[in-house]
Amino acid sequence: MRARAWSGPAAAVGRRTLVAVLAVCTVALVPTGPAAAAPSDQPGGTSGVLDSRALDRLQRRAAEVQEELRARQDDIVAARAALAEAQVAVEEAEAVLADAQGVLAGYQREVAGYASAVYRDGGALTPLTLLLRAGDPGEVLSALGFLDAVDAHAADVIGVAEGHRRAALEEEERAQGALGQARARADEVSARVAALEEAAAAVTAELDEALQVVDGQLSRLQREQLDVNEQTAASWRAYVDQLRAAGVDTVPAAALRDPARGLPDGLVPVAAGGGGAQRGVAQLPGQPSSLLVLPVETLTAVSAAMEALGRPYAPGTAGPDSWGCGTLVQAAFERAGVPVPATQGELFATATPVAAADVLPGDLVFLGSGEAGLGHVGMALDQRTMLAADARAGAVVVRTLPADQVLAVGRPGLGQRPAVPVPGPAPGALRTECGNTVYPPSYDGARAWGGYPNGLIPPSAMCPLGVGGHWLRCDAAAAYRAMSSAYSADLGAPLCITDSYRTYAGQVRLYGEKPALAAVPGTSNHGWGLAVDLCGGVQSFGTRQYSWMVANAGRFGFLHPTWADPGNGREEPWHWEYAGT
């Protein structure tokens, strides 16, 4: 018998055709299997598909402007503090001068009064007048001593007062000079800040323009992904219809597990890449090609997974509104009556393996790397495509199956094997789940999770909170709703929220209004749909509402980042982030 490759069952749809090339047959026929529309390497759009270089460049510029603005803000705070201190010093010096001048004036008034009295009495009090008026020599001597003491005291008092006045005058001059310098410094810093704010406004305007371009690209990519999903589902339905028309759409997995012992009438084996026949599959001979026959359990499972196309991805969720990669596989095969676990690790550990070269529709494909270990699971549609709840795409999508990342292939129709160890991440590496890095709760950086840029995640990849048009990633939304219910039960009212998912345009707008304080566009955790700003008392440290969040938010996967804690420079009691999975 000649060995021939087998191709897809349906005509190509769209601009590209994906031909399934799966295995070598044991008969001189070409078995026909399900075809899929050609997906992009990164469904949903990432730097590999989306041309976001303009946004990246502007984001770097915005960060540079913000960094300088923050540095200048420190300068202007210091300059204003120095200005205030100088103003106080001037006021104090003026007060001292006024006091000194008041004292001097007082003494001068006393001297003037003394002179006036002498004038009224008919002349100045002198030693001669004392001698003429004195009754005896002792009285003359006493009067002369008193006169000397009065003259000396008056001179001393007026001299001291004049010295104080001069010192106060000098201090006032010094304070006025410092005030002038402080004012000049404050004016200089204010002018520099104004220039930086103009630069921030210019960056904001450019970001707005670039955003429109990227937004258009995203819309196109989303439409393409929807087309891929729809075309693949249509091709699958056409394939199932072929099986039904041929009367081989209800063959149970048990009847295909051991080709060596025989197959149902009319079916023949499909060759394995390493020789012999593949277990769990057969083909129906025909001309010009044979028809690939999958067990009914696999047909049911893949059909169920196709129904979830386009639903949001959210780790830890199990449908029907959103899915994790493992829970989607479990639910699909549960529909077919085949029990499998719900996590990528347990699926890897128990799935009966087949060679990667023999991958067939409905097989489980496990992706990963040596550093990250196991990082994803999906259902193969052929050797080049897979269907998965994909964290990078943020949805259930048809995506390219990267051959260089395949760790193993498992076939659920062959039953489960005894559990084996699951490849884990290397020391120091972060775990990967459903194609995306899993960050620990203590991580304070950006929690990127989708194939879209920060702030450009489509609503289809998120879920509503059910209040005020607020949205979060679906698992965060579910956790928030549960937390709000618990909060309401304890405090008598649901959580009050002012901000949740923040679009890139919203970040640009906020940056334009507060360039020194707002996050640089594209860096806010609000832009990942993983942060909320709360009100109703939570916005103030020490309140009963804030204390409730501190005590209970962790149970629902929410945390208060350390940078927003008291004493860390950017106190934001209202800001909470979702870190749970």
Side-chain angles (χ1 to χ4, degrees), residues 260-275:
R261 293 190 175 184
L263 294 169
D265 291 343
L267 301 182
V268 297
V270 174

Side-chain angles (χ1 to χ4, degrees), residues 279 347-354 366 409-418:
R279 298 172 59 213
L347 286 164
F348 179 96
T350 58
T352 298
V354 297
F366 298 97
V409 176
R411 189 163 292 168
L414 300 179
Q416 296 187 14
R417 64 176 172 179

Side-chain angles (χ1 to χ4, degrees), residues 383-483:
Q383 283 188 321
R384 291 182 55 193
T385 56
M386 61 186 284
L387 185 155
D390 191 87
R392 288 186 60 79
V396 179
V397 295
V398 175
R399 57 156 293 175
T400 296
L401 197 168
D404 60 337
Q405 296 178 29
V406 175
L407 297 182
V409 176
R411 189 163 292 168
L414 300 179
Q416 296 187 14
R417 64 176 172 179
V420 300
V422 178
L430 293 176
R431 184 169 63 88
T432 303
E433 181 178 335
C434 302
N436 203 70
T437 301
V438 176
Y439 298 96
S442 59
Y443 183 73
D444 268 354
R447 301 177 187 276
W449 61 272
Y452 295 91
N454 179 296
L456 293 168
I457 302 170
S460 62
M462 294 185 294
C463 291
L465 301 187
V467 56
H470 290 287
W471 295 72
L472 291 175
R473 192 175 74 181
C474 290
D475 55 331
Y480 178 89
R481 289 192 295 267
M483 181 170 68

Side-chain angles (χ1 to χ4, degrees), residues 162-214:
E162 175 63 17
H164 284 314
R165 188 186 74 83
R166 291 182 179 276
L169 187 61
E170 292 173 359
E171 181 63 29
E172 184 194 28
E173 289 175 353
R174 282 194 297 271
Q176 289 286 4
L179 178 61
Q181 291 178 352
R183 282 176 176 159
R185 173 61 178 156
D187 290 345
E188 175 191 343
V189 174
S190 295
R192 180 58 182 156
V193 169
L196 286 168
E197 287 174 344
E198 288 181 11
V203 173
T204 301
E206 291 185 60
L207 279 166
D208 267 331
E209 294 178 7
L211 178 58
Q212 293 177 17
V213 175
V214 172

Side-chain angles (χ1 to χ4, degrees), residues 29-412:
L29 297 169
V30 182
T32 303
S40 61
D41 288 339
Q42 302 293 347
T46 64
S47 57
V49 174
L50 176 68
D51 184 8
S52 59
R53 287 173 295 180
L55 279 179
D56 294 341
R57 175 179 58 80
L58 288 169
Q59 182 176 311
R60 288 193 296 271
R61 274 191 55 198
E64 291 167 1
V65 171
Q66 184 182 66
E67 184 177 353
E68 194 170 355
L69 261 174
R70 284 177 176 166
R72 291 296 173 180
Q73 284 295 112
D74 293 340
D75 288 347
I76 201 167
V77 167
R80 285 172 177 166
L83 180 62
E85 289 176 6
Q87 188 69 53
V88 169
V90 168
E91 292 170 358
E92 290 176 348
E94 289 174 341
V96 171
L97 178 60
D99 289 344
Q101 289 176 329
V103 171
L104 179 61
Y107 286 125
Q108 287 174 332
R109 282 195 300 274
E110 289 184 18
V111 171
Y114 168 74
S116 177
V118 170
Y119 177 78
R120 284 195 309 271
D121 291 341
L125 185 63
T126 66
L128 178 59
T129 57
L130 287 172
L131 180 61
L132 294 175
R133 295 175 183 176
D136 58 59
E139 185 179 347
V140 172
L141 291 175
S142 298
L144 288 173
F146 172 74
L147 182 62
D148 290 341
V150 168
D151 288 344
H153 177 68
D156 288 345
V157 168
I158 293 174
V160 170
E162 175 63 17
H164 284 314
R165 188 186 74 83
R166 291 182 179 276
L169 187 61
E170 292 173 359
E171 181 63 29
E172 184 194 28
E173 289 175 353
R174 282 194 297 271
Q176 289 286 4
L179 178 61
Q181 291 178 352
R183 282 176 176 159
R185 173 61 178 156
D187 290 345
E188 175 191 343
V189 174
S190 295
R192 180 58 182 156
V193 169
L196 286 168
E197 287 174 344
E198 288 181 11
V203 173
T204 301
E206 291 185 60
L207 279 166
D208 267 331
E209 294 178 7
L211 178 58
Q212 293 177 17
V213 175
V214 172
D215 218 16
Q217 294 178 13
L218 284 171
S219 296
R220 175 179 56 80
L221 289 168
Q222 291 170 31
R223 288 194 301 270
E224 288 182 357
Q225 183 64 63
L226 288 174
D227 289 344
V228 167
N229 292 347
E230 291 171 2
Q231 293 163 7
T232 301
S235 294
W236 177 260
R237 289 192 297 269
Y239 165 68
V240 174
D241 288 344
Q242 284 183 285
L243 294 176
R244 186 176 296 112
V248 288
D249 60 322
T250 59
V251 180
L256 303 176
R257 284 179 184 161
D258 192 354
R261 293 190 175 184
L263 294 169
D265 291 343
L267 301 182
V268 297
V270 174
Q278 289 203 51
R279 298 172 59 213
V281 65
Q283 58 184 323
L284 178 66
Q287 292 293 343
S289 60
S290 64
L291 182 63
L292 181 71
V293 178
L294 298 171
V296 65
E297 293 89 344
T298 299
L299 298 177
T300 302
V302 175
S303 296
M306 290 281 181
E307 294 174 7
L309 281 171
R311 294 289 187 183
Y313 161 83
T317 60
D321 296 325
S322 62
W323 297 94
C325 57
T327 57
L328 176 63
V329 168
Q330 183 193 49
F333 278 96
E334 187 176 70
R335 176 93 64 89
V338 178
V340 296
T343 68
Q344 62 184 27
E346 291 173 315
L347 286 164
F348 179 96
T350 58
T352 298
V354 297
D358 293 339
V359 65
L360 292 172
D363 285 349
L364 303 187
V365 183
F366 298 97
L367 307 180
S369 67
E371 180 181 11
L374 175 65
H376 204 351
V377 63
M379 298 171 65
L381 300 179
D382 55 40
Q383 283 188 321
R384 291 182 55 193
T385 56
M386 61 186 284
L387 185 155
D390 191 87
R392 288 186 60 79
V396 179
V397 295
V398 175
R399 57 156 293 175
T400 296
L401 197 168
D404 60 337
Q405 296 178 29
V406 175
L407 297 182
V409 176
R411 189 163 292 168

